[in-house]
Amino acid sequence: MPLDLSVIGAGIAPSATLAMDTKAKEFIAAGFDVIKFGVGEPDFDTPEFIRTAAKEAIDAGKTRYTPVAGTTELRWEIAQKFARDNNLDYDASGEIIVSSGAKQVLYEALCVLLNPGDEVILPSPCWVSYPEMVRMAGGVPVFAPADPDKGFVFTAEDLRPYVTEKTKALMINSPSNPNGCILSREILQGIADLAVEKQFYVISDEIYEKLIYDGEEHVSIASLGPKIKDQTIVVNGVSKTYAMTGWRIGYGAGPRRIIKAMTAYQSHASSNANSIAQAAAAAALAAGDVACVRDMIAEFDARRVLMHHLINAIPGISAHLPKGAFYTMANIGALIGKKHRGEVITGSERFAELLLESKYVAVVPGKSFGEDSHVRLSYATSSGKIKRGMDRMAEFVSELE
Ligand code: PMP
Ligand code: GLU
């Protein structure tokens, strides 16, 4: 037998967002003053009451295996959160699973739903991990490109041509990484009707639910009726809302048969999520939309407006005002083909490389999200850094010929 890797193992592309973060950190370690608009992670510390809950959990001996699907306490808080925020009724015992980040929930959902060759529709641009997760689970990603001129918002009618007999699921992410768009109740109703008509699952990634601006409303597609609820897996977590990226707690809710299969899968893959982090997440969710969370959202909002203003002030670059999350997609299409110090900008990857190497500003190439004429910038960094970073980006663009 040849000692080679499996087809799946050999074909996985590493996460471009995490790769850019690693590269930026290498530059920082080498002594360069890098402005990081790359990885999407709140720059705030985890709120003190959550840190205290974790310390208390250690001292109370909550350091052993927990039930695979998560502690009773945390699943109860998650069920309360769904009822309170999303008008969704899930049974804490059997319809909810806690995993090591929303990432693991998404991956496990795909693993228990897909047979080899099953298609998953991904409205694009989409988060870098979706297509790779689909492939890792044996499925085939089918990209449904959204129109940049409409701010990347799409409707059921835009998706319909991509539905085939092999369509097993659709992944949606509102508010969206990478473009910050939000799907309205009407649009979600159309998508729900299509999913019920054509019989496919919806994996609804709502991790940025709370990062929403301009009075927009977050709607969970599962709340639009019993039929779509029975075809939906809702995915969420504490990473973004509570500045808890390193704690690795995400959760999913859905029909009992699916959560049961995901729990069985997880029982072999990783057992339970970290017991101490689960106690901390329970404290976070019990507190809900506390003042410190509202303060973080207000700060993201101010940074969003600032970054939007500064991007659009750079000749040759434009961006839509994002409505949610903490990302914006900047259109650099007009700069492709130009040269920086003799180096041709062949696409978004080259743009990002040259910008990092010459001005020490990290952005993520849009190519990784399926949109090579754009780069993604995260505004989860201070206003001062946003101003300095955008000054450097403007200088970079002014040097193009
Ligand atoms: N979904 C999206 C769209 C994301 O941007 C992220 C960011 N990490 C995740 C899921 C995963 O979040 P986590 O695993 O930290 O809960
Ligand atoms: N989701 C964030 C991002 O897109 C964090 C990195 C990752 O998990 O991909 O930048």
Side-chain angles (χ1 to χ4, degrees):
M1 187 78 167
L3 298 177
D4 50 3
L5 295 178
S6 69
V7 174
I8 288 181
I12 303 167
S15 162
T17 46
L18 298 180
M20 176 47 85
D21 197 45
T22 306
K23 202 164 175 191
K25 282 177 179 152
E26 281 166 12
F27 271 73
I28 292 169
F32 296 104
D33 169 30
V34 177
I35 307 276
K36 294 205 298 166
F37 298 143
V39 76
E41 131 164 287
D43 57 329
F44 303 109
D45 288 331
T46 304
E48 192 178 354
F49 75 94
I50 300 175
R51 301 198 308 262
T52 303
K55 290 173 203 162
E56 286 173 2
I58 296 175
D59 291 338
K62 295 183 180 174
T63 52
R64 300 178 190 279
Y65 292 131
T66 75
V68 172
T71 61
T72 312
E73 177 200 18
L74 177 53
R75 277 182 284 129
W76 188 83
E77 291 297 353
I78 293 167
Q80 298 299 304
K81 179 250 170 285
F82 277 123
R84 181 176 69 222
D85 296 351
N86 309 111
N87 195 23
L88 277 169
D89 178 23
Y90 285 113
D91 185 351
S93 167
E95 293 182 319
I96 289 174
I97 183 169
V98 177
S99 306
S100 301
K103 234 177 204 177
Q104 191 184 10
V105 183
L106 291 162
Y107 178 57
E108 283 176 358
L110 290 165
C111 285
V112 305
L113 293 180
L114 301 186
N115 283 314
D118 283 352
E119 294 177 356
V120 179
I121 299 179
L122 303 176
S124 73
C126 65
W127 182 40
V128 291
S129 290
Y130 292 163
E132 292 311 309
M133 284 180 182
V134 170
R135 290 189 189 105
M136 283 156 62
V140 178
V142 173
F143 296 99
D147 185 352
D149 292 337
K150 292 183 185 158
F152 298 108
V153 174
F154 56 89
T155 66
E157 289 320 302
D158 297 321
L159 301 178
R160 190 179 282 278
Y162 298 92
V163 180
T164 73
E165 288 187 348
K166 289 189 180 164
T167 304
K168 191 67 179 279
L170 160 75
M171 292 178 87
I172 55 172
N173 176 217
S174 175
S176 156
N177 176 5
N179 54 55
C181 76
I182 286 174
L183 300 177
S184 67
R185 184 178 288 273
E186 292 69 36
I187 288 178
L188 288 167
Q189 186 64 63
I191 294 172
D193 293 346
L194 182 68
V196 171
E197 177 197 328
K198 298 285 186 182
Q199 287 294 286
F200 55 78
Y201 287 104
V202 177
I203 300 177
S204 180
D205 179 349
E206 303 179 15
I207 189 96
Y208 296 103
E209 167 187 13
K210 297 289 176 188
L211 307 185
I212 199 159
Y213 317 107
D214 295 339
E216 292 280 341
E217 173 196 29
H218 172 78
V219 177
S220 183
I221 192 166
S223 68
L224 298 179
K227 283 191 181 152
I228 187 64
K229 184 174 178 230
D230 195 46
Q231 285 176 226
T232 302
I233 299 97
V234 182
V235 181
N236 209 323
V238 294
S239 286
K240 316 289 173 174
T241 309
Y242 297 98
M244 290 177 73
T245 45
W247 300 70
R248 312 305 305 127
I249 297 292
Y251 53 88
R256 199 168 284 276
R257 64 189 184 283
I258 297 176
I259 298 300
K260 188 177 170 197
M262 289 169 68
T263 307
Y265 187 103
Q266 181 166 298
S267 74
H268 298 294
S270 64
S271 305
N272 57 272
N274 179 294
S275 60
I276 300 149
Q278 286 193 59
L285 291 177
D289 297 344
V290 272
C292 56
V293 170
R294 290 199 303 273
D295 289 349
M296 287 193 268
I297 296 168
E299 183 59 35
F300 284 136
D301 190 2
R303 296 169 179 184
R304 167 186 76 116
V305 173
L306 174 68
M307 185 174 256
H308 176 72
H309 170 72
L310 294 175
I311 287 179
N312 285 294
I314 302 178
I317 304 192
S318 61
H320 286 276
L321 182 65
K323 297 280 183 189
F326 40 51
Y327 308 101
T328 182
M329 290 282 272
N331 189 337
I332 55 149
L335 307 178
I336 291 174
K338 297 199 175 210
K339 285 185 183 166
H340 186 259
R341 298 179 189 158
E343 298 282 340
V344 182
I345 298 181
T346 46
S348 60
E349 277 175 344
R350 200 70 191 117
F351 180 94
E353 277 165 12
L354 293 171
L355 183 63
L356 180 62
E357 286 162 13
S358 64
K359 303 291 171 196
Y360 313 120
V361 174
V363 299
V364 184
K367 193 176 179 190
S368 339
F369 305 95
E371 195 63 54
D372 200 24
S373 57
H374 288 64
V375 290
R376 188 195 78 174
L377 291 89
S378 161
Y379 49 86
T381 191
S382 71
S383 296
K385 285 188 181 159
I386 291 175
K387 283 186 199 141
R388 278 168 51 219
M390 296 313 295
D391 277 351
R392 292 187 199 177
M393 197 154 149
E395 193 177 273
F396 175 80
V397 172
S398 75
E399 290 168 5
L400 298 181
E401 47 193 20

